[in-house]
Amino acid sequence: QQQVKQSPQSLIVQKGGISIINCAYENTAFDYFPWYQQFPGKGPALLIAIRPDVSEKKEGRFTISFNKSAKQFSLHIMDSQPGDSATYFCAAVLPSGTYKYIFGTGTRLKVLA
Amino acid sequence: KAGVTQTPRYLIKTRGQQVTLSCSPISGHRSVSWYQQTPGQGLQFLFEYFSETQRNKGNFPGRFSGRQFSNSRSEMNVSTLELGDSALYLCASTSGTGQDEQYFGPGTRLTVT
């Protein structure tokens, strides 16, 4: 129940295309859902995050779509660029007090020039 | 504001040895979490320290331990190293007083031979 399932494991997209990464969870106690971007040799960096009281959040080319009833959320990267090539992790976080991040297994994105 | 720093960045140890990794959180942050990252298992939560106390713990054997000092700096120790302990060890800091974003350090790459 504490798992977060992330798909696909890897993704190849043409420059200018849309990259879509999906995550699903079971535990309805999660109430914060961040996405992280990690480049080789670096630590993960927070990209965008959403709380379950909204269905969508957009920051530049990055959008999170959240479906509370289906317990799913996804990251959309519009106009994908070669510089977006990285590994992306979704996470689900329990409320403060039982502070705990559960990460998805990651998606390796490659954007072709 | 300086980011999360981790030392050393790279480490090579032999099976059976022990190792200590260090993490300095962002100034003012009181919570430090440790993660093990491997290609097969993704990001696995080790433990979290807040105000010198372990607040949460993942499912790792007792060979993995940590501590936090009064200045919020944290150390992680792994005793009796095994080949399977080879991984990138990441620490992340937050203020610890709410559901804040986690900021990750660059990690320590541990290789056990």
Side-chain angles (χ1 to χ4, degrees), chain A residues 79-94:
Chain A
D79 187 27
S80 298
Q81 299 296 312
D84 296 331
S85 297
T87 299
Y88 292 82
F89 293 92
C90 64
V93 186
L94 291 168

Side-chain angles (χ1 to χ4, degrees), chain A residues 31-32 38 46 51 99, chain B residues 37 56 94 99 101-102 104:
Chain A
D31 67 351
Y32 178 62
Q38 185 178 26
L46 179 67
R51 298 190 188 276
Y99 174 93
Chain B
Q37 186 176 30
N56 282 297
T94 73
Q99 206 171 67
E101 301 96 345
Q102 278 192 330
F104 282 87

Side-chain angles (χ1 to χ4, degrees), chain A residues 3-113:
Chain A
Q3 285 186 325
V4 176
K5 295 182 180 178
Q6 183 172 347
S7 64
Q9 190 172 7
S10 63
L11 183 61
I12 299 175
V13 174
Q14 293 288 336
K15 179 181 174 182
I18 302 173
S19 303
I20 302 174
I21 305 170
N22 302 298
C23 285
Y25 63 97
E26 287 294 324
N27 189 347
T28 55
F30 291 128
D31 67 351
Y32 178 62
F33 302 89
W35 284 89
Y36 285 83
Q37 179 188 56
Q38 185 178 26
F39 293 105
K42 305 286 187 183
L46 179 67
L47 193 60
I48 186 173
I50 198 168
R51 298 190 188 276
D53 53 347
V54 297
S55 60
E56 186 175 281
K57 183 173 181 180
K58 185 176 180 180
E59 289 184 2
R61 295 184 295 108
F62 301 91
T63 300
I64 298 179
S65 296
F66 187 84
N67 187 328
K68 189 173 181 178
S69 60
K71 291 185 280 187
Q72 295 175 348
F73 58 110
S74 59
L75 175 69
H76 296 235
I77 305 174
M78 312 301 286
D79 187 27
S80 298
Q81 299 296 312
D84 296 331
S85 297
T87 299
Y88 292 82
F89 293 92
C90 64
V93 186
L94 291 168
S96 57
T98 52
Y99 174 93
K100 196 169 179 181
Y101 273 68
I102 306 297
F103 283 87
T105 50
T107 296
R108 185 172 291 183
L109 172 66
K110 186 179 176 83
V111 182
L112 301 177

